[in-house]
Amino acid sequence: MLLGLTALVAWLIVAHDVVAHDLWEKPDRETPAELARLFDLGTVLTLTLATAVSYLVLFAGTILAAALLIDTSVLAQTLRRPVDFPDYPILAWIISSPATVGGAIGSGLEDEDTVRAAAYGYHPEPGGWRDEKDA
């Protein structure tokens, strides 16, 4: 799970930076090295927090779906023992971890405008996300 979440954050930064989403700040004339490092730290912290929260929501939703949709007798037959409560979180963990990695790979298919709007945009009106450069 931790490896998957770490890989997700790294994938989001590296893959999106490669396809010109510019999530990683590089020092140049206008951006000193110290400021670029602070921006990059902010990017890592933001993506880590967002990834962790997304994982927890997915994990909780998977537990709920498993409890509602999987018949206890079928699960007991598969496990070859009576079903206990910890079986549902274990099942959710087994499902959520690869799903998170799959989501990271799928995020590489997004275009630059969608990524920038999600990362830096705000939603002041029902018209949709608006990038700060469009304001």
Side-chain angles (χ1 to χ4, degrees):
M1 174 186 73
L2 292 176
L3 181 62
L5 292 174
T6 303
L8 171 58
V9 171
W11 172 261
L12 289 171
I13 291 171
V14 172
H16 288 286
D17 202 49
V18 168
V19 292
H21 294 308
D22 295 325
L23 294 179
W24 202 252
E25 189 71 31
K26 295 165 189 70
D28 58 15
R29 290 182 197 165
E30 294 142 14
T31 309
E34 183 178 317
L35 188 58
R37 279 193 298 273
L38 286 175
F39 287 151
D40 294 339
L41 178 63
T43 298
V44 170
L45 291 176
T46 301
L47 288 175
T48 300
L49 181 63
T51 301
V53 169
S54 297
Y55 184 87
L56 290 175
V57 169
L58 176 64
F59 184 78
T62 304
I63 289 175
L64 182 63
L68 292 174
L69 300 175
I70 298 175
D71 187 52
T72 307
S73 63
V74 174
L75 187 55
Q77 183 180 7
T78 302
L79 296 174
R80 297 185 185 143
R81 63 174 173 74
V83 175
D84 295 326
F85 175 74
D87 294 326
Y88 288 101
I90 290 169
L91 180 63
W93 176 62
I94 291 170
I95 293 169
S96 299
S97 296
T100 301
V101 173
I105 294 168
S107 72
L109 303 175
E110 293 293 339
D111 65 343
E112 180 179 358
D113 292 334
T114 303
V115 172
R116 289 185 62 81
Y120 304 112
Y122 63 98
H123 194 191
E125 55 192 55
W129 287 94
R130 191 169 70 190
D131 196 349
E132 288 182 15
K133 69 180 179 183
D134 296 334

PDB file of all heavy atoms in Angstrom, residues 37-77:
ATOM      1  N   ARG A  37      12.551  24.938  -4.754  1.00  0.00           N
ATOM      2  CA  ARG A  37      12.471  23.819  -3.802  1.00  0.00           C
ATOM      3  C   ARG A  37      11.222  23.925  -2.944  1.00  0.00           C
ATOM      4  O   ARG A  37      10.576  22.926  -2.646  1.00  0.00           O
ATOM      5  CB  ARG A  37      13.718  23.773  -2.920  1.00  0.00           C
ATOM      6  CG  ARG A  37      14.903  23.115  -3.598  1.00  0.00           C
ATOM      7  CD  ARG A  37      16.015  22.802  -2.610  1.00  0.00           C
ATOM      8  NE  ARG A  37      16.575  23.985  -1.968  1.00  0.00           N
ATOM      9  CZ  ARG A  37      17.564  24.726  -2.465  1.00  0.00           C
ATOM     10  NH1 ARG A  37      18.114  24.392  -3.616  1.00  0.00           N
ATOM     11  NH2 ARG A  37      18.012  25.774  -1.815  1.00  0.00           N
ATOM     12  N   LEU A  38      10.865  25.136  -2.523  1.00  0.00           N
ATOM     13  CA  LEU A  38       9.641  25.316  -1.731  1.00  0.00           C
ATOM     14  C   LEU A  38       8.401  24.966  -2.554  1.00  0.00           C
ATOM     15  O   LEU A  38       7.469  24.329  -2.045  1.00  0.00           O
ATOM     16  CB  LEU A  38       9.548  26.750  -1.215  1.00  0.00           C
ATOM     17  CG  LEU A  38      10.483  27.108  -0.066  1.00  0.00           C
ATOM     18  CD1 LEU A  38      10.373  28.596   0.267  1.00  0.00           C
ATOM     19  CD2 LEU A  38      10.174  26.267   1.157  1.00  0.00           C
ATOM     20  N   PHE A  39       8.372  25.392  -3.812  1.00  0.00           N
ATOM     21  CA  PHE A  39       7.255  25.031  -4.687  1.00  0.00           C
ATOM     22  C   PHE A  39       7.165  23.516  -4.847  1.00  0.00           C
ATOM     23  O   PHE A  39       6.078  22.938  -4.799  1.00  0.00           O
ATOM     24  CB  PHE A  39       7.397  25.682  -6.063  1.00  0.00           C
ATOM     25  CG  PHE A  39       7.137  27.157  -6.084  1.00  0.00           C
ATOM     26  CD1 PHE A  39       7.764  27.959  -7.019  1.00  0.00           C
ATOM     27  CD2 PHE A  39       6.266  27.749  -5.194  1.00  0.00           C
ATOM     28  CE1 PHE A  39       7.526  29.322  -7.064  1.00  0.00           C
ATOM     29  CE2 PHE A  39       6.016  29.108  -5.224  1.00  0.00           C
ATOM     30  CZ  PHE A  39       6.650  29.902  -6.157  1.00  0.00           C
ATOM     31  N   ASP A  40       8.314  22.867  -5.044  1.00  0.00           N
ATOM     32  CA  ASP A  40       8.340  21.423  -5.233  1.00  0.00           C
ATOM     33  C   ASP A  40       7.909  20.691  -3.959  1.00  0.00           C
ATOM     34  O   ASP A  40       7.181  19.693  -4.019  1.00  0.00           O
ATOM     35  CB  ASP A  40       9.722  20.955  -5.681  1.00  0.00           C
ATOM     36  CG  ASP A  40      10.065  21.471  -7.067  1.00  0.00           C
ATOM     37  OD1 ASP A  40       9.135  21.823  -7.818  1.00  0.00           O
ATOM     38  OD2 ASP A  40      11.263  21.531  -7.393  1.00  0.00           O
ATOM     39  N   LEU A  41       8.326  21.195  -2.808  1.00  0.00           N
ATOM     40  CA  LEU A  41       7.887  20.608  -1.540  1.00  0.00           C
ATOM     41  C   LEU A  41       6.370  20.745  -1.389  1.00  0.00           C
ATOM     42  O   LEU A  41       5.684  19.804  -0.975  1.00  0.00           O
ATOM     43  CB  LEU A  41       8.603  21.277  -0.367  1.00  0.00           C
ATOM     44  CG  LEU A  41       8.196  20.799   1.027  1.00  0.00           C
ATOM     45  CD1 LEU A  41       8.542  19.324   1.213  1.00  0.00           C
ATOM     46  CD2 LEU A  41       8.871  21.652   2.098  1.00  0.00           C
ATOM     47  N   GLY A  42       5.856  21.910  -1.752  1.00  0.00           N
ATOM     48  CA  GLY A  42       4.407  22.110  -1.722  1.00  0.00           C
ATOM     49  C   GLY A  42       3.681  21.156  -2.650  1.00  0.00           C
ATOM     50  O   GLY A  42       2.622  20.613  -2.304  1.00  0.00           O
ATOM     51  N   THR A  43       4.252  20.915  -3.830  1.00  0.00           N
ATOM     52  CA  THR A  43       3.654  19.966  -4.769  1.00  0.00           C
ATOM     53  C   THR A  43       3.638  18.568  -4.186  1.00  0.00           C
ATOM     54  O   THR A  43       2.610  17.871  -4.239  1.00  0.00           O
ATOM     55  CB  THR A  43       4.434  19.973  -6.106  1.00  0.00           C
ATOM     56  OG1 THR A  43       4.341  21.274  -6.676  1.00  0.00           O
ATOM     57  CG2 THR A  43       3.890  18.947  -7.070  1.00  0.00           C
ATOM     58  N   VAL A  44       4.757  18.138  -3.608  1.00  0.00           N
ATOM     59  CA  VAL A  44       4.841  16.794  -3.030  1.00  0.00           C
ATOM     60  C   VAL A  44       3.865  16.648  -1.866  1.00  0.00           C
ATOM     61  O   VAL A  44       3.136  15.651  -1.778  1.00  0.00           O
ATOM     62  CB  VAL A  44       6.285  16.472  -2.583  1.00  0.00           C
ATOM     63  CG1 VAL A  44       6.333  15.197  -1.759  1.00  0.00           C
ATOM     64  CG2 VAL A  44       7.204  16.348  -3.785  1.00  0.00           C
ATOM     65  N   LEU A  45       3.817  17.637  -0.984  1.00  0.00           N
ATOM     66  CA  LEU A  45       2.906  17.562   0.160  1.00  0.00           C
ATOM     67  C   LEU A  45       1.445  17.565  -0.281  1.00  0.00           C
ATOM     68  O   LEU A  45       0.622  16.805   0.245  1.00  0.00           O
ATOM     69  CB  LEU A  45       3.179  18.707   1.135  1.00  0.00           C
ATOM     70  CG  LEU A  45       4.507  18.638   1.884  1.00  0.00           C
ATOM     71  CD1 LEU A  45       4.705  19.883   2.747  1.00  0.00           C
ATOM     72  CD2 LEU A  45       4.595  17.377   2.727  1.00  0.00           C
ATOM     73  N   THR A  46       1.118  18.401  -1.239  1.00  0.00           N
ATOM     74  CA  THR A  46      -0.260  18.462  -1.732  1.00  0.00           C
ATOM     75  C   THR A  46      -0.674  17.144  -2.377  1.00  0.00           C
ATOM     76  O   THR A  46      -1.749  16.608  -2.093  1.00  0.00           O
ATOM     77  CB  THR A  46      -0.409  19.616  -2.748  1.00  0.00           C
ATOM     78  OG1 THR A  46      -0.062  20.836  -2.111  1.00  0.00           O
ATOM     79  CG2 THR A  46      -1.827  19.699  -3.279  1.00  0.00           C
ATOM     80  N   LEU A  47       0.184  16.624  -3.233  1.00  0.00           N
ATOM     81  CA  LEU A  47      -0.139  15.359  -3.890  1.00  0.00           C
ATOM     82  C   LEU A  47      -0.193  14.204  -2.901  1.00  0.00           C
ATOM     83  O   LEU A  47      -1.033  13.304  -3.024  1.00  0.00           O
ATOM     84  CB  LEU A  47       0.859  15.060  -5.002  1.00  0.00           C
ATOM     85  CG  LEU A  47       0.739  15.933  -6.250  1.00  0.00           C
ATOM     86  CD1 LEU A  47       1.867  15.630  -7.221  1.00  0.00           C
ATOM     87  CD2 LEU A  47      -0.609  15.728  -6.925  1.00  0.00           C
ATOM     88  N   THR A  48       0.692  14.211  -1.905  1.00  0.00           N
ATOM     89  CA  THR A  48       0.684  13.151  -0.897  1.00  0.00           C
ATOM     90  C   THR A  48      -0.603  13.199  -0.085  1.00  0.00           C
ATOM     91  O   THR A  48      -1.247  12.160   0.142  1.00  0.00           O
ATOM     92  CB  THR A  48       1.910  13.279   0.031  1.00  0.00           C
ATOM     93  OG1 THR A  48       3.094  13.170  -0.759  1.00  0.00           O
ATOM     94  CG2 THR A  48       1.913  12.211   1.100  1.00  0.00           C
ATOM     95  N   LEU A  49      -1.003  14.376   0.352  1.00  0.00           N
ATOM     96  CA  LEU A  49      -2.246  14.507   1.120  1.00  0.00           C
ATOM     97  C   LEU A  49      -3.453  14.113   0.275  1.00  0.00           C
ATOM     98  O   LEU A  49      -4.327  13.372   0.730  1.00  0.00           O
ATOM     99  CB  LEU A  49      -2.390  15.943   1.636  1.00  0.00           C
ATOM    100  CG  LEU A  49      -3.641  16.211   2.473  1.00  0.00           C
ATOM    101  CD1 LEU A  49      -3.621  15.378   3.742  1.00  0.00           C
ATOM    102  CD2 LEU A  49      -3.728  17.690   2.812  1.00  0.00           C
ATOM    103  N   ALA A  50      -3.511  14.606  -0.952  1.00  0.00           N
ATOM    104  CA  ALA A  50      -4.634  14.273  -1.831  1.00  0.00           C
ATOM    105  C   ALA A  50      -4.686  12.774  -2.126  1.00  0.00           C
ATOM    106  O   ALA A  50      -5.771  12.163  -2.140  1.00  0.00           O
ATOM    107  CB  ALA A  50      -4.526  15.057  -3.136  1.00  0.00           C
ATOM    108  N   THR A  51      -3.537  12.160  -2.317  1.00  0.00           N
ATOM    109  CA  THR A  51      -3.476  10.729  -2.587  1.00  0.00           C
ATOM    110  C   THR A  51      -3.924   9.936  -1.370  1.00  0.00           C
ATOM    111  O   THR A  51      -4.686   8.973  -1.495  1.00  0.00           O
ATOM    112  CB  THR A  51      -2.037  10.330  -2.986  1.00  0.00           C
ATOM    113  OG1 THR A  51      -1.676  11.071  -4.145  1.00  0.00           O
ATOM    114  CG2 THR A  51      -1.933   8.859  -3.282  1.00  0.00           C
ATOM    115  N   ALA A  52      -3.468  10.319  -0.185  1.00  0.00           N
ATOM    116  CA  ALA A  52      -3.856   9.615   1.038  1.00  0.00           C
ATOM    117  C   ALA A  52      -5.351   9.728   1.297  1.00  0.00           C
ATOM    118  O   ALA A  52      -6.011   8.733   1.629  1.00  0.00           O
ATOM    119  CB  ALA A  52      -3.058  10.154   2.224  1.00  0.00           C
ATOM    120  N   VAL A  53      -5.901  10.921   1.132  1.00  0.00           N
ATOM    121  CA  VAL A  53      -7.342  11.106   1.338  1.00  0.00           C
ATOM    122  C   VAL A  53      -8.136  10.315   0.300  1.00  0.00           C
ATOM    123  O   VAL A  53      -9.123   9.648   0.637  1.00  0.00           O
ATOM    124  CB  VAL A  53      -7.710  12.610   1.302  1.00  0.00           C
ATOM    125  CG1 VAL A  53      -9.211  12.816   1.238  1.00  0.00           C
ATOM    126  CG2 VAL A  53      -7.126  13.317   2.513  1.00  0.00           C
ATOM    127  N   SER A  54      -7.695  10.350  -0.938  1.00  0.00           N
ATOM    128  CA  SER A  54      -8.374   9.584  -1.988  1.00  0.00           C
ATOM    129  C   SER A  54      -8.330   8.094  -1.696  1.00  0.00           C
ATOM    130  O   SER A  54      -9.313   7.381  -1.891  1.00  0.00           O
ATOM    131  CB  SER A  54      -7.727   9.858  -3.353  1.00  0.00           C
ATOM    132  OG  SER A  54      -7.873  11.198  -3.698  1.00  0.00           O
ATOM    133  N   TYR A  55      -7.186   7.615  -1.210  1.00  0.00           N
ATOM    134  CA  TYR A  55      -7.062   6.205  -0.869  1.00  0.00           C
ATOM    135  C   TYR A  55      -8.013   5.839   0.270  1.00  0.00           C
ATOM    136  O   TYR A  55      -8.677   4.809   0.219  1.00  0.00           O
ATOM    137  CB  TYR A  55      -5.618   5.860  -0.480  1.00  0.00           C
ATOM    138  CG  TYR A  55      -5.443   4.384  -0.204  1.00  0.00           C
ATOM    139  CD1 TYR A  55      -5.166   3.502  -1.236  1.00  0.00           C
ATOM    140  CD2 TYR A  55      -5.563   3.866   1.076  1.00  0.00           C
ATOM    141  CE1 TYR A  55      -5.020   2.148  -1.005  1.00  0.00           C
ATOM    142  CE2 TYR A  55      -5.421   2.523   1.325  1.00  0.00           C
ATOM    143  CZ  TYR A  55      -5.146   1.664   0.283  1.00  0.00           C
ATOM    144  OH  TYR A  55      -5.005   0.320   0.512  1.00  0.00           O
ATOM    145  N   LEU A  56      -8.083   6.679   1.302  1.00  0.00           N
ATOM    146  CA  LEU A  56      -8.982   6.399   2.422  1.00  0.00           C
ATOM    147  C   LEU A  56     -10.442   6.380   1.993  1.00  0.00           C
ATOM    148  O   LEU A  56     -11.219   5.543   2.458  1.00  0.00           O
ATOM    149  CB  LEU A  56      -8.756   7.410   3.542  1.00  0.00           C
ATOM    150  CG  LEU A  56      -7.426   7.280   4.282  1.00  0.00           C
ATOM    151  CD1 LEU A  56      -7.256   8.424   5.284  1.00  0.00           C
ATOM    152  CD2 LEU A  56      -7.328   5.930   4.987  1.00  0.00           C
ATOM    153  N   VAL A  57     -10.819   7.291   1.111  1.00  0.00           N
ATOM    154  CA  VAL A  57     -12.198   7.305   0.601  1.00  0.00           C
ATOM    155  C   VAL A  57     -12.472   6.041  -0.213  1.00  0.00           C
ATOM    156  O   VAL A  57     -13.522   5.398  -0.055  1.00  0.00           O
ATOM    157  CB  VAL A  57     -12.460   8.573  -0.234  1.00  0.00           C
ATOM    158  CG1 VAL A  57     -13.771   8.492  -0.996  1.00  0.00           C
ATOM    159  CG2 VAL A  57     -12.429   9.809   0.662  1.00  0.00           C
ATOM    160  N   LEU A  58     -11.537   5.674  -1.064  1.00  0.00           N
ATOM    161  CA  LEU A  58     -11.676   4.440  -1.840  1.00  0.00           C
ATOM    162  C   LEU A  58     -11.746   3.232  -0.924  1.00  0.00           C
ATOM    163  O   LEU A  58     -12.590   2.344  -1.113  1.00  0.00           O
ATOM    164  CB  LEU A  58     -10.502   4.293  -2.813  1.00  0.00           C
ATOM    165  CG  LEU A  58     -10.444   3.004  -3.629  1.00  0.00           C
ATOM    166  CD1 LEU A  58     -11.650   2.907  -4.568  1.00  0.00           C
ATOM    167  CD2 LEU A  58      -9.144   2.933  -4.414  1.00  0.00           C
ATOM    168  N   PHE A  59     -10.903   3.180   0.083  1.00  0.00           N
ATOM    169  CA  PHE A  59     -10.868   2.069   1.040  1.00  0.00           C
ATOM    170  C   PHE A  59     -12.204   1.942   1.775  1.00  0.00           C
ATOM    171  O   PHE A  59     -12.789   0.862   1.861  1.00  0.00           O
ATOM    172  CB  PHE A  59      -9.716   2.290   2.027  1.00  0.00           C
ATOM    173  CG  PHE A  59      -9.516   1.187   3.005  1.00  0.00           C
ATOM    174  CD1 PHE A  59      -8.876   0.018   2.628  1.00  0.00           C
ATOM    175  CD2 PHE A  59      -9.945   1.317   4.314  1.00  0.00           C
ATOM    176  CE1 PHE A  59      -8.664  -1.001   3.539  1.00  0.00           C
ATOM    177  CE2 PHE A  59      -9.743   0.306   5.229  1.00  0.00           C
ATOM    178  CZ  PHE A  59      -9.105  -0.863   4.840  1.00  0.00           C
ATOM    179  N   ALA A  60     -12.713   3.065   2.285  1.00  0.00           N
ATOM    180  CA  ALA A  60     -13.996   3.053   3.008  1.00  0.00           C
ATOM    181  C   ALA A  60     -15.141   2.661   2.080  1.00  0.00           C
ATOM    182  O   ALA A  60     -16.022   1.878   2.463  1.00  0.00           O
ATOM    183  CB  ALA A  60     -14.254   4.421   3.639  1.00  0.00           C
ATOM    184  N   GLY A  61     -15.135   3.187   0.867  1.00  0.00           N
ATOM    185  CA  GLY A  61     -16.183   2.822  -0.094  1.00  0.00           C
ATOM    186  C   GLY A  61     -16.137   1.355  -0.475  1.00  0.00           C
ATOM    187  O   GLY A  61     -17.178   0.711  -0.657  1.00  0.00           O
ATOM    188  N   THR A  62     -14.928   0.806  -0.572  1.00  0.00           N
ATOM    189  CA  THR A  62     -14.786  -0.612  -0.906  1.00  0.00           C
ATOM    190  C   THR A  62     -15.281  -1.486   0.232  1.00  0.00           C
ATOM    191  O   THR A  62     -15.931  -2.514   0.000  1.00  0.00           O
ATOM    192  CB  THR A  62     -13.314  -0.931  -1.252  1.00  0.00           C
ATOM    193  OG1 THR A  62     -12.896  -0.063  -2.299  1.00  0.00           O
ATOM    194  CG2 THR A  62     -13.153  -2.367  -1.701  1.00  0.00           C
ATOM    195  N   ILE A  63     -14.993  -1.100   1.476  1.00  0.00           N
ATOM    196  CA  ILE A  63     -15.514  -1.859   2.622  1.00  0.00           C
ATOM    197  C   ILE A  63     -17.033  -1.835   2.609  1.00  0.00           C
ATOM    198  O   ILE A  63     -17.691  -2.876   2.778  1.00  0.00           O
ATOM    199  CB  ILE A  63     -14.985  -1.289   3.958  1.00  0.00           C
ATOM    200  CG1 ILE A  63     -13.508  -1.584   4.117  1.00  0.00           C
ATOM    201  CG2 ILE A  63     -15.759  -1.879   5.135  1.00  0.00           C
ATOM    202  CD1 ILE A  63     -12.889  -0.951   5.345  1.00  0.00           C
ATOM    203  N   LEU A  64     -17.595  -0.672   2.398  1.00  0.00           N
ATOM    204  CA  LEU A  64     -19.055  -0.539   2.376  1.00  0.00           C
ATOM    205  C   LEU A  64     -19.664  -1.369   1.249  1.00  0.00           C
ATOM    206  O   LEU A  64     -20.637  -2.099   1.456  1.00  0.00           O
ATOM    207  CB  LEU A  64     -19.445   0.937   2.239  1.00  0.00           C
ATOM    208  CG  LEU A  64     -20.935   1.249   2.245  1.00  0.00           C
ATOM    209  CD1 LEU A  64     -21.557   0.855   3.578  1.00  0.00           C
ATOM    210  CD2 LEU A  64     -21.163   2.716   1.955  1.00  0.00           C
ATOM    211  N   ALA A  65     -19.092  -1.267   0.054  1.00  0.00           N
ATOM    212  CA  ALA A  65     -19.606  -2.035  -1.085  1.00  0.00           C
ATOM    213  C   ALA A  65     -19.477  -3.534  -0.835  1.00  0.00           C
ATOM    214  O   ALA A  65     -20.407  -4.302  -1.142  1.00  0.00           O
ATOM    215  CB  ALA A  65     -18.870  -1.639  -2.359  1.00  0.00           C
ATOM    216  N   ALA A  66     -18.355  -3.959  -0.277  1.00  0.00           N
ATOM    217  CA  ALA A  66     -18.169  -5.387  -0.006  1.00  0.00           C
ATOM    218  C   ALA A  66     -19.173  -5.878   1.024  1.00  0.00           C
ATOM    219  O   ALA A  66     -19.762  -6.959   0.874  1.00  0.00           O
ATOM    220  CB  ALA A  66     -16.744  -5.653   0.476  1.00  0.00           C
ATOM    221  N   ALA A  67     -19.401  -5.083   2.067  1.00  0.00           N
ATOM    222  CA  ALA A  67     -20.358  -5.481   3.099  1.00  0.00           C
ATOM    223  C   ALA A  67     -21.781  -5.562   2.555  1.00  0.00           C
ATOM    224  O   ALA A  67     -22.565  -6.428   2.956  1.00  0.00           O
ATOM    225  CB  ALA A  67     -20.285  -4.516   4.276  1.00  0.00           C
ATOM    226  N   LEU A  68     -22.114  -4.675   1.626  1.00  0.00           N
ATOM    227  CA  LEU A  68     -23.470  -4.656   1.070  1.00  0.00           C
ATOM    228  C   LEU A  68     -23.684  -5.670  -0.054  1.00  0.00           C
ATOM    229  O   LEU A  68     -24.787  -6.199  -0.218  1.00  0.00           O
ATOM    230  CB  LEU A  68     -23.806  -3.256   0.552  1.00  0.00           C
ATOM    231  CG  LEU A  68     -23.944  -2.152   1.594  1.00  0.00           C
ATOM    232  CD1 LEU A  68     -24.125  -0.804   0.911  1.00  0.00           C
ATOM    233  CD2 LEU A  68     -25.105  -2.442   2.534  1.00  0.00           C
ATOM    234  N   LEU A  69     -22.649  -5.933  -0.837  1.00  0.00           N
ATOM    235  CA  LEU A  69     -22.826  -6.720  -2.054  1.00  0.00           C
ATOM    236  C   LEU A  69     -22.348  -8.165  -1.978  1.00  0.00           C
ATOM    237  O   LEU A  69     -22.822  -9.002  -2.740  1.00  0.00           O
ATOM    238  CB  LEU A  69     -22.121  -6.024  -3.223  1.00  0.00           C
ATOM    239  CG  LEU A  69     -22.631  -4.615  -3.550  1.00  0.00           C
ATOM    240  CD1 LEU A  69     -21.785  -3.991  -4.642  1.00  0.00           C
ATOM    241  CD2 LEU A  69     -24.099  -4.654  -3.948  1.00  0.00           C
ATOM    242  N   ILE A  70     -21.397  -8.451  -1.106  1.00  0.00           N
ATOM    243  CA  ILE A  70     -20.876  -9.815  -1.049  1.00  0.00           C
ATOM    244  C   ILE A  70     -21.625 -10.587   0.031  1.00  0.00           C
ATOM    245  O   ILE A  70     -21.599 -10.219   1.210  1.00  0.00           O
ATOM    246  CB  ILE A  70     -19.358  -9.821  -0.758  1.00  0.00           C
ATOM    247  CG1 ILE A  70     -18.613  -9.111  -1.880  1.00  0.00           C
ATOM    248  CG2 ILE A  70     -18.854 -11.253  -0.593  1.00  0.00           C
ATOM    249  CD1 ILE A  70     -17.132  -8.957  -1.645  1.00  0.00           C
ATOM    250  N   ASP A  71     -22.286 -11.633  -0.392  1.00  0.00           N
ATOM    251  CA  ASP A  71     -23.022 -12.474   0.555  1.00  0.00           C
ATOM    252  C   ASP A  71     -22.034 -13.167   1.484  1.00  0.00           C
ATOM    253  O   ASP A  71     -21.023 -13.724   1.040  1.00  0.00           O
ATOM    254  CB  ASP A  71     -23.853 -13.494  -0.219  1.00  0.00           C
ATOM    255  CG  ASP A  71     -24.772 -14.274   0.687  1.00  0.00           C
ATOM    256  OD1 ASP A  71     -25.513 -13.632   1.462  1.00  0.00           O
ATOM    257  OD2 ASP A  71     -24.748 -15.514   0.617  1.00  0.00           O
ATOM    258  N   THR A  72     -22.337 -13.129   2.774  1.00  0.00           N
ATOM    259  CA  THR A  72     -21.435 -13.698   3.774  1.00  0.00           C
ATOM    260  C   THR A  72     -21.181 -15.182   3.529  1.00  0.00           C
ATOM    261  O   THR A  72     -20.052 -15.660   3.703  1.00  0.00           O
ATOM    262  CB  THR A  72     -22.013 -13.486   5.188  1.00  0.00           C
ATOM    263  OG1 THR A  72     -22.316 -12.106   5.347  1.00  0.00           O
ATOM    264  CG2 THR A  72     -21.037 -13.906   6.257  1.00  0.00           C
ATOM    265  N   SER A  73     -22.207 -15.909   3.094  1.00  0.00           N
ATOM    266  CA  SER A  73     -22.030 -17.346   2.863  1.00  0.00           C
ATOM    267  C   SER A  73     -21.067 -17.605   1.698  1.00  0.00           C
ATOM    268  O   SER A  73     -20.273 -18.552   1.728  1.00  0.00           O
ATOM    269  CB  SER A  73     -23.372 -18.025   2.605  1.00  0.00           C
ATOM    270  OG  SER A  73     -23.964 -17.518   1.426  1.00  0.00           O
ATOM    271  N   VAL A  74     -21.116 -16.765   0.667  1.00  0.00           N
ATOM    272  CA  VAL A  74     -20.210 -16.916  -0.471  1.00  0.00           C
ATOM    273  C   VAL A  74     -18.781 -16.614  -0.043  1.00  0.00           C
ATOM    274  O   VAL A  74     -17.845 -17.350  -0.399  1.00  0.00           O
ATOM    275  CB  VAL A  74     -20.635 -15.999  -1.639  1.00  0.00           C
ATOM    276  CG1 VAL A  74     -19.616 -16.028  -2.763  1.00  0.00           C
ATOM    277  CG2 VAL A  74     -22.013 -16.385  -2.132  1.00  0.00           C
ATOM    278  N   LEU A  75     -18.599 -15.563   0.744  1.00  0.00           N
ATOM    279  CA  LEU A  75     -17.268 -15.222   1.230  1.00  0.00           C
ATOM    280  C   LEU A  75     -16.738 -16.325   2.155  1.00  0.00           C
ATOM    281  O   LEU A  75     -15.568 -16.708   2.070  1.00  0.00           O
ATOM    282  CB  LEU A  75     -17.281 -13.868   1.943  1.00  0.00           C
ATOM    283  CG  LEU A  75     -15.935 -13.291   2.358  1.00  0.00           C
ATOM    284  CD1 LEU A  75     -14.980 -13.176   1.181  1.00  0.00           C
ATOM    285  CD2 LEU A  75     -16.122 -11.937   3.018  1.00  0.00           C
ATOM    286  N   ALA A  76     -17.598 -16.847   3.014  1.00  0.00           N
ATOM    287  CA  ALA A  76     -17.188 -17.938   3.915  1.00  0.00           C
ATOM    288  C   ALA A  76     -16.799 -19.180   3.122  1.00  0.00           C
ATOM    289  O   ALA A  76     -15.833 -19.868   3.458  1.00  0.00           O
ATOM    290  CB  ALA A  76     -18.307 -18.255   4.894  1.00  0.00           C
ATOM    291  N   GLN A  77     -17.528 -19.461   2.066  1.00  0.00           N
ATOM    292  CA  GLN A  77     -17.201 -20.612   1.225  1.00  0.00           C
ATOM    293  C   GLN A  77     -15.851 -20.407   0.531  1.00  0.00           C
ATOM    294  O   GLN A  77     -15.039 -21.327   0.436  1.00  0.00           O
ATOM    295  CB  GLN A  77     -18.306 -20.827   0.186  1.00  0.00           C
ATOM    296  CG  GLN A  77     -18.106 -22.041  -0.682  1.00  0.00           C
ATOM    297  CD  GLN A  77     -19.227 -22.191  -1.697  1.00  0.00           C
ATOM    298  OE1 GLN A  77     -20.089 -21.313  -1.838  1.00  0.00           O
ATOM    299  NE2 GLN A  77     -19.231 -23.300  -2.406  1.00  0.00           N
TER     300      GLN A  77
END
